[in-house]
Amino acid sequence: MTTASGQTPPLVARSGPWRWVRTRLFRGPVDTAITLACLYLLWLVVPPLLDWLVLSARWMGESRDACTEGGACWVFIRVRFDQFMYGFYPEAERWRVNLAGLLVAALVVLLFLPPFRAKKAVAIGLLAVAIPGIVLLLSGGVLGLRPVETRDWGGLMVTVFMALYGAILAVPVSLLLALGRQSKLPVVRVLSIVYVEFWRGVPIIAIIFLASNLLPLIVPAGVTVDKLARALIGLALVISAYMAEVIRGGLLAIPKGQYEAARSLGLGYWTGTTFIILPQAIRIVIPSLVNEFIALFKNTTLVLIVSLFDLLGMIQSALTDPKWVGLNLEGYVFAGVVFWIVCFAMSRWSQRLELRLARRPN
Amino acid sequence: MSSIDVMRPGRLLHDGRVRGWLAQAGIALGVVGLVWFFVDNAGENLARSGVATGFDFMGARSGVDIDFKLIQYGPDSSYGRLLLVGIANTLFVSFFGILLATVLGFAVGIGRLSGNWLLAGFSTIYVEAVRNVPLLLFVLLWYYLVIRGLPAPRQSIDLAGMGFVNNRGIFLPSPTDPSPFQAVIVALAVGVAATWLLRRWARSRQDATGQPFPTVLAGVGLVAGLPLAAALVAATMTAWNWPALSRFGVRGGTTVIPEFLALLAALGTYTAAFIAEIVRGGILSVTRGQREAAAALGLNRRQILRLVVLPQAMRVIIPPLTSQYVNLIKNSSYAAVIAYPEIVSVFVGSALNNTGRAVEIIAITLAIYLAINVSVSLLMNWYDARTRMVGR
C-alpha cells in the first residue's frame, strides 16, 4: 500500500466541523432520513413550546385575568408559591421551616466539603442535633414554640421531610435486614427474607393505604398515630426492604478473605461486621443507595392518596380552586421541574461517586 | 480441655452454637410477641368499634358500578366479582403497558447507541427527562393531556364508520354474543404449542443437516396469526352492537375509557425510560472481542448482531427487564389516583369504603400482588437456570 504511488488517495487528516456533520448526521441514506426526521420533530416541538413557556407566558398580575390564551400562566405559580413551599403552615411560624431547611442544607454542604480532621465528629454532632431537632422545630410545643399540627404542613416541605425521615428510619432497619439475610441462624434468615420479599412484592400505593388504615387499628386503644407519621412509616417499610437488598449486594461483593481475616484476628461477629465488613460494603453500595433515595423522593408524591399535601398534592388541591382551575399544565411543569432538578442532581452525584469508587484501588 | 469443662453452665454461654440458639429463640419470641400484641389490639379495637369481621362480605351485593369491565359485572354482583373485575383490568392495562414500554424502551435504548448525533441526543434527553420525575406526576399529566387533547362529544372523531373517539373515551362496536371469541384463547394455546414443536423440529434438522429454518418468523406468524384468524372467524359468527352518537353522548357498543388511555400512556412512556437504560447496558456489555471474533469467522453484520451480540446481550437484559415488568404491574395501582378501576382502586378504594373491612380487604389485595410476583420470579429462576453460562 505504501509503495503504490497514486493508487490510494493520500491519508489527509480529515477533521473539522464538516467531517463531524458528515459522520454524525449524514453518513448514509438511512442516517440522513433519521436526521431529517429529528429536525422535523424539533421544528414541530420547540417553537410552540418556547412560545408557551416563555414568549407568550405571563408572570405579572394577581389573577388569571392577567394571562393570555396560548401562553403559560406563571402568575398561578407566583401567587401560590408560598403555599407550594409551606402548605398551610402559619405565616408567622415559617421561619422555623426555613431554619430546618438551613440545617438540612448545612448537612448537604458538609457532605461535599473536602475531608478535614473533625469532619466525622461535626457530621455526627450535626445529625444528632438535626434529627430530633427538625421534628421538634416543625411540630413545636416545646421551648415556647407554638404547636403546628401536621395537617397544616404541606408543599415541598412535606416532600423533603418525608424523604429525609423515611431514609433515616429505613437505613438502620435495612442494615439489620441485610445482615440477617446473610446470617447463619435460620430463624433470623427466614424472617429477614420474608420481610424483604413481602414489602418488595406489593405496590407502594397499597402499603400507604395499609399504613393509614391498619396502623390506628393495631396500636392500643387511646393511642393515636399521626396521619403524616402513618404515611412515613409506610414509606419507610418499603424503602427499607429495597435498601436491604442493595446493602446485601455490597456484602456479597466483599471477598471471603475479609471475613476470615476478621475471624483470625479474634474479632467476634459484631466487632468484625462493624469495623471490617460494613465499612467496605457500604462504601461500595453508596451510589445504589442514592438511587434508592431518589426513588423514595419521587414516591413521597403518593401520600396525596391519603389526603396529605406534598408539593404535588398542594398543586392538585390548588387546581380545584375555581380561580385557578384548568391551569394543570403550569402546575405540573412547575412540580416536574422541581423534582427533576433534585433527582437529576442526585443521580449525577451518584454517578460521580461510582466513577471515583471504580478508580480507587481496593 | 475435657468435655466436662464444656458442660459447666458458665461455659455454656461462650459456646457460639448455644448463643446462636438463644438469640434465635429470643428473636422468635420477640416477633411472635409483637405480632400477638398487634393482633390483640386489632381484635379489641375492632370489637369496640363494632365493625363486623370475616370474609363473608365477598359474597354480598357490592352496589358498586364500574364503567370499564372485561367480564360480566353489574352493581348487583358480589364483592368477589368486583375483585375479579379489578384483577382483569390490572392485567389488561399491564399487558398493553408492557408491550408499549418494551417497544419504546428498546427503540430508545438502541437509539442512545446510535452514531447519529441527533437521535442519540434525543434518546438521552428522553431517558433523563423521564427518569427523574415522579410517576404520579406522569399519570396526572397524561390524564390531563388525554382529556384535554381529545375533542368534546359533539366534535367526536369518526373512525371510518367503525366507532367514535372523544374525551369520554373510544367507542367501538361490541359483539352481542362474546362466546365465539373463546376460540381465540384456544388458537393462542395451539399457536404457542405449535411454535414449540416447530422449534424442536427445526433444531434437530439443523443439527442433522445444517439447514437453518426461520423459526422466529414462523413462530410470530403462528402465535399472532392463529388467534387473529380465529378472531376474524368469530367476528362473522355474532351480531354486533354498533355505537351511535346521540344527544347525550354515545350509545351502545363498548367504551375504552380515557383513564385507561392515560394510565397506559403513563406506564408505557415511564417504564420505557428504564428499559432503555437496561437495553443500552446489555448491548454495551458484549465485548468488542466478541464482534471481532464473529467477523473473523466470516459472519456479516446482520449475522453478528443476530447470532452473537443479541443473544449475549439478552442474557444481561432479561433479568432486570422482568423486574421492570413486575414494577409496571405494581405501578398500575397508580390508577387509584385517576379512578381507572383496577385492583387497588375498586377494592382498597370502593369496597373498603363500603364495607369498612380494612384488614380483610388489604390482606386479599396484598396476597394477589404477592402471587403475581412469586409467579414471575419462579418463571425468572427457570429462565436463569436455562440460560446460565456453563462454566468450564
Side-chain angles (χ1 to χ4, degrees), chain B residues 221-299:
Chain B
L222 280 171
V223 172
L226 280 180
L228 200 69
L232 284 177
V233 172
T236 60
M237 286 166 66
T238 169
W240 290 83
N241 185 355
W242 293 87
L245 273 177
S246 76
R247 218 143 48 95
F248 306 103
V250 182
R251 288 284 173 83
T254 181
T255 315
V256 180
I257 56 173
E259 286 80 9
F260 171 80
L261 298 174
L263 186 66
L264 177 68
L267 289 175
T269 49
Y270 187 76
T271 315
F274 293 85
I275 291 180
E277 283 301 273
I278 292 169
V279 169
R280 187 172 75 107
I283 292 175
L284 286 178
S285 77
V286 181
T287 53
R288 207 190 154 91
Q290 292 285 332
R291 287 165 216 257
E292 289 170 353
L297 284 175
L299 301 185

Side-chain angles (χ1 to χ4, degrees), chain A residues 75-151:
Chain A
V75 180
F76 169 49
I77 306 296
R78 225 197 68 239
V79 170
R80 290 287 181 128
F81 187 78
D82 280 357
Q83 227 181 58
F84 293 161
M85 294 296 116
Y86 306 99
F88 300 106
Y89 211 85
E91 243 174 285
E93 308 290 330
R94 284 182 185 166
W95 61 270
R96 284 153 58 177
V97 183
N98 295 339
L99 189 61
L102 222 57
L103 266 172
V104 175
L107 275 166
V108 173
V109 167
L110 194 68
L111 206 63
F112 284 99
L113 239 43
F116 56 92
R117 194 148 11 124
K119 186 171 176 181
K120 213 171 182 179
V122 173
I124 292 173
L126 202 55
L127 270 179
V129 173
I131 292 175
I134 291 177
V135 179
L136 293 179
L137 195 61
L138 293 181
S139 50
V142 285
L143 295 172
L145 290 173
R146 215 181 102 196
V148 180
E149 285 194 48
T150 54
R151 66 154 184 265

Side-chain angles (χ1 to χ4, degrees), chain B residues 116-194:
Chain B
N116 188 307
W117 181 77
L118 268 177
L119 186 61
F122 268 175
S123 309
T124 307
I125 290 173
Y126 177 81
V127 169
E128 290 297 349
V130 170
R131 274 202 311 177
N132 292 309
V133 166
L135 174 57
L136 187 60
L137 183 66
F138 240 68
V139 173
L140 291 172
L141 179 66
W142 272 110
Y143 190 43
Y144 175 75
L145 289 179
V146 165
I147 296 281
R148 276 299 295 267
L150 295 175
R154 278 170 188 278
Q155 280 92 39
S156 294
I157 303 167
D158 198 329
L159 293 177
M162 299 288 285
F164 306 98
V165 180
N166 59 42
N167 61 16
R168 306 267 175 85
I170 302 177
F171 299 86
L172 296 170
S174 62
T176 44
D177 175 23
S179 54
F181 282 93
Q182 285 162 357
V184 176
I185 297 166
V186 178
L188 185 69
V190 171
V192 170

